[in-house]
Structure formats: C-alpha cells, structure tokens
Amino acid sequence: MGQTMADRVESARRRRFVGREGELARLEGLLRSPDPGIVFVSGPSGVGKSTLLRRFAERATESGARVTLLDARDVPPTAEAVALRLGGAAAATSAGRPVIIVDTYELLAEVDPVLREQIAPTLPADALLVIGGQHPPAAGWRTDPGWSELLVSLRLPNLSEADSAAYLTARDVPAAAHPAAIEFTHGHPLALALVAEVLRERGSFVPDRSADVIGVLVGSLVRHTPSATHRRALEAAAQVRFVTEPLLAALIEVPDAAEHFDWLRAQPFVESGPSGLYLHDLARTVLSTDLRWRHPELSVRMHARAREYYLARLDSPDPMTQAGVLLDLMYLHTDLRRFLQPPDQAAGLRLDRARPDDGAAVVELVRRHEGAVSAELARAWWTHPAAAWSVVRDGGADPPTVVGAVCLLAVDRVPDPAGDDTAPAFAVLVKPAKNLSLYG
C-alpha cells in the first residue's frame, strides 16, 4: 500500500520536532527500567504534551515495546469504557513490554479514582502506563504507599530560548524575527506555532494587532471556566504581581472570593508563591492583552481597584509589608513589569529582611550595576536611621546570596541636606539584578 496522508502528516511532525531531548531521554530511561509502573506528564494546554507523547510512542515502538496510544477525547468518560480500552491494550499477545499511553487525561478526571483503585492494578506487572494531562497526579497516587513507589511525575516546561529559536527556524521564520516572537511566547509551543504562522503570512507580529492569535490562546486558557465570574477572576489575576483572596475579592467585586481563589489555584498555568498566586508569563500576557483590546474600560477599572487596595496598605508600620506593596504598585505600570516578575520558586528567590551583615553584598550589587558613585550612596544609606532595607535572597544558592535590594525611606526623618552635610544625596535607581533592585 502506498503512502497515506497520515504518513505525510507524521513525517512533517517528526521533521519539525525540536527540543524535549531531556524529557525523551527520561522517558526512554523509564522504559528500560522495571521500577516505574506509571508516569504522569503534565503541563498547561498547548505546552506540547501530545507532541512529546507521540514522539515517545515512536521511539518505544522502535525499541521493541508493544505500544498503545489512546486519546481521552476518543474514550467515553466512564469506568467501563476506560477499563475496556486499557484492558484490551494490555491483553494483546504480541511480544515486547506493554506501553499504554493515555493523552488528554484531564477529560477522565472523574474516572481517576477508579483507574487507580480498580483498573490499573489489573495491568500486567511489566506494563508502563504513561498519562498526559494538564494536571499532575492526584493526591491519591502520591500518598498511596504502593503507587507512590511506582510513580514518576514529569512537569513539562516551555521550550528554552535555544529550542524556541530552533522551532521558529524549522518553520522558516527569519532569525531577525526570533527575539520578539520568543519574548512574547516565553517558549510556549502553541504560541510559537501561531506567531510563526503570522510572521510567514504578514511579515511582522504585533500582539495588540493580532487579535486572532490572542483569541486562540485565550480560548485555550478559558475553555473550562465554570462561569463568567471565574473568567473575570483569571483576568484580574493577570493584572497584578500576586493575587491573594482579599485582593481577588476587591478586583472582581464579590464579598467572598474563596471559591474563585481555590479554582485559580488548581489551574495548570497558575503557581503559588510566598505572597499569593501568580500566572505563568504567557497566560498573564495573553489575558492582559485580550482584556485591554476587548474591554479597555474594565481593564482600567481593575487597575484602579488594585491601586486603591494597595494604597490602603501602604501606611503599614512593617517595612517588609511596605516594600511588597511598593512592588505591587509599580507592577501596575506595564513598562516596569519585566523587572518585577514573580520570583522563580524553583530558584528560591524571596524578599527578606535585611541583616547587618548584608551591607557589603548590597553595596557590591549596586557597584556592579550602577557604579562607584551609587555604591557610596547605598553605603551611606545602609546605616541611616531613616532607611529601612529589605533584600531579595536566592535560596537556591549555597549559601543563600543577596541578588536584589529594596530601600524605603521615611522622608520625614531625612535631614535637610542644606543644614546637615552628613546626609547622603538622595537617588532612586531601578535595575534588574535577577529580580528588582531599588536603592534609595
């Protein structure tokens, strides 16, 4: 039989597959090991889970495994249907280790307890069950003393900058257009594909003038929102640096936002930080851009509500609270946002009270980014009674290092320089040093 259209489609997919070598190597290593029995590959919509699972299925087949690839969109979400499909796949008589891959697993969420307790235990002992979905494994998988020993969870990130560039090159996007495309998409594969298509057709990509692309991406984010208020909660969270339950209530104007906050926390593109919840970069960019285009008046009102909420807390006597509120207020200005992204929790960045022995590190940080004159200003303010310092520590380093600083001045306690030659000159400098650095 000659080549089919499906063969041509798969051939094009293989040619354009880039990156994910680390994830593929991990999956192939698990295929060769008898220890794991189930692997969860999770990540938000459009991050490339299906592409990775198809490529792994090909490699597993090439290695001699007996592979069955199922898409939950083709399986009725009932325990009986899932048991029939998985049981039939495992019962095949051909040689090779049975590998069962289930994609779009979020559609089978209601069946997950039955799969864990009744269906998966009936699979052959050497079977490898690979599940791809938007969410990591439920607590039942992780806390069960039996399954936890057989479980591996892989969280799929966006593509790296180098892989994003290779992705665009494979789609004939000129190298000169790569930086802007990568900055907008943050390496999200679906976004890269859409932007690449626009660049090929129009020669340029401007987010505010590409409502069709933004619309597709917004659709992937809001597809499963239970109500209009839940969607509004998503849009509100995209406007601020971090969102807490009281702030969310103020932004969407409800007396109690507990239900909406809990729903936000469960979304695959939302992370938890020390100050609240924050959206992944692409989700934040897409939702903010769409709201400004679709409902500019609401965008302005949300910013006004956020500003009112922050200003009411700016007079806190706690310098740490003041520093956080100041960053939140600055984040409302879009031209400063690239300096004020929520910290990378994997890297362990956190805002902390300054200690006396942090002075040398802060002064050196200022010297490196602003020069000797600014360093002397920072040194002078370090011990001044009108200055309250906080620092950003990188807990991922050993020992933790200072990578940013914030200085808040009680201006009513700053002497008049005309009457006090010892008062340092006043300066405010903003520079990115892995996070935000402010020096007063």
Side-chain angles (χ1 to χ4, degrees):
M1 181 178 176
Q3 189 182 49
T4 65
M5 188 64 72
D7 295 327
R8 295 178 60 189
V9 170
E10 287 303 318
S11 177
R13 285 172 174 167
R14 284 193 293 272
R15 287 196 312 272
R16 290 184 168 185
F17 183 87
V18 299
R20 304 304 189 200
E21 289 305 318
E23 290 85 355
L24 274 173
R26 181 78 188 281
L27 288 170
E28 291 178 4
L30 296 173
L31 178 63
R32 294 188 296 269
S33 170
D35 294 332
I38 181 166
V39 182
F40 275 82
V41 179
S42 62
S45 176
V47 81
K49 300 181 296 296
S50 298
T51 302
L52 174 65
L53 293 178
R54 281 196 300 266
R55 188 69 182 118
F56 171 63
E58 293 174 0
R59 292 196 179 182
T61 301
E62 292 167 359
S63 73
R66 188 171 78 245
V67 179
T68 301
L69 179 59
L70 304 175
D71 192 318
R73 288 173 292 192
D74 302 325
V75 181
T78 65
E80 294 77 13
V82 174
L84 180 64
R85 297 296 296 273
L86 266 63
T93 57
S94 56
R97 183 181 185 183
V99 175
I100 304 170
I101 302 173
V102 182
D103 195 12
T104 328
Y105 187 67
E106 62 271 9
L107 299 182
L108 300 178
E110 295 299 320
V111 187
D112 181 74
V114 179
L115 175 67
R116 181 177 64 252
E117 297 165 8
Q118 300 178 25
I119 302 174
T122 67
L123 298 177
D126 64 338
L128 179 64
L129 178 59
V130 182
I131 292 178
Q134 292 191 16
H135 305 285
W141 295 100
R142 303 193 305 269
T143 59
D144 184 281
W147 280 117
S148 61
E149 290 191 7
L150 308 182
L151 177 68
V152 173
S153 182
L154 298 179
R155 182 74 172 172
L156 205 59
N158 287 352
L159 295 174
S160 68
E161 187 171 338
D163 287 339
S164 296
Y167 189 106
L168 294 169
T169 298
R171 284 156 178 75
D172 303 319
V173 175
H178 289 185
I182 295 172
E183 181 179 5
F184 170 76
T185 64
H186 302 281
H188 187 276
L190 173 60
L192 281 167
L194 293 172
V195 172
E197 191 66 25
V198 171
L199 286 168
R200 284 203 306 270
E201 291 181 358
R202 308 172 191 171
S204 63
F205 173 75
V206 179
D208 290 338
R209 301 176 188 171
S210 303
D212 50 350
V213 173
I214 297 297
V216 172
L217 296 174
V218 168
S220 72
L221 296 173
V222 304
R223 184 179 301 128
H224 302 297
T225 49
S227 71
T229 310
H230 286 81
R231 174 166 180 166
R232 193 72 75 232
L234 262 183
E235 294 166 338
Q239 312 304 314
V240 294
R241 193 171 67 103
F242 287 99
V243 66
T244 60
E245 191 175 311
L247 173 57
L248 184 62
L251 292 177
I252 63 176
E253 295 186 303
V254 297
D256 183 356
E259 173 193 346
H260 305 89
F261 187 84
D262 290 341
W263 176 81
L264 273 179
R265 183 160 47 184
Q267 300 312 300
F269 47 85
V270 176
E271 299 288 345
S272 297
S275 301
L277 304 178
Y278 63 95
L279 272 60
H280 290 183
D281 291 334
L282 178 66
R284 185 189 299 275
T285 300
V286 166
L287 289 166
S288 294
T289 302
D290 180 66
L291 186 64
R292 287 197 305 271
W293 169 79
R294 183 171 50 84
H295 202 327
E297 294 84 1
L298 179 59
S299 178
V300 171
R301 288 203 301 271
M302 279 195 178
H303 276 240
R305 293 170 196 162
R307 186 163 53 251
E308 181 180 352
Y309 180 89
Y310 294 140
L311 289 174
R313 285 151 183 79
L314 192 58
D315 60 354
S316 169
D318 180 17
M320 288 292 294
T321 299
Q322 289 181 346
V325 172
L326 178 61
L327 299 187
D328 290 331
L329 280 166
M330 293 177 67
Y331 188 83
L332 294 176
H333 299 274
T334 55
D335 55 340
L336 291 174
R337 284 190 180 182
R338 63 194 182 97
F339 299 138
L340 298 164
Q341 294 300 324
D344 180 354
Q345 299 304 307
L349 297 183
R350 68 183 192 278
L351 192 65
D352 194 12
R353 291 183 183 275
R355 298 191 292 260
D357 57 358
D358 291 327
V362 170
V363 171
E364 178 53 33
L365 185 67
V366 178
R367 185 187 309 281
R368 187 162 65 248
H369 290 280
E370 298 293 342
V373 174
S374 293
E376 289 308 310
L377 283 172
R379 187 193 308 279
W381 283 114
W382 180 254
T383 56
H384 197 282
W389 285 87
S390 301
V391 298
V392 179
R393 300 190 195 279
D394 182 358
D398 187 18
T401 56
V402 174
V403 296
V406 178
C407 179
L408 295 178
L409 292 178
V411 292
D412 57 334
R413 297 173 59 192
V414 177
D416 181 359
D420 184 353
D421 294 336
T422 65
F426 180 80
V428 176
L429 312 172
V430 179
K431 279 289 180 180
K434 201 172 184 181
N435 202 317
L436 170 77
S437 298
L438 286 182
Y439 321 102

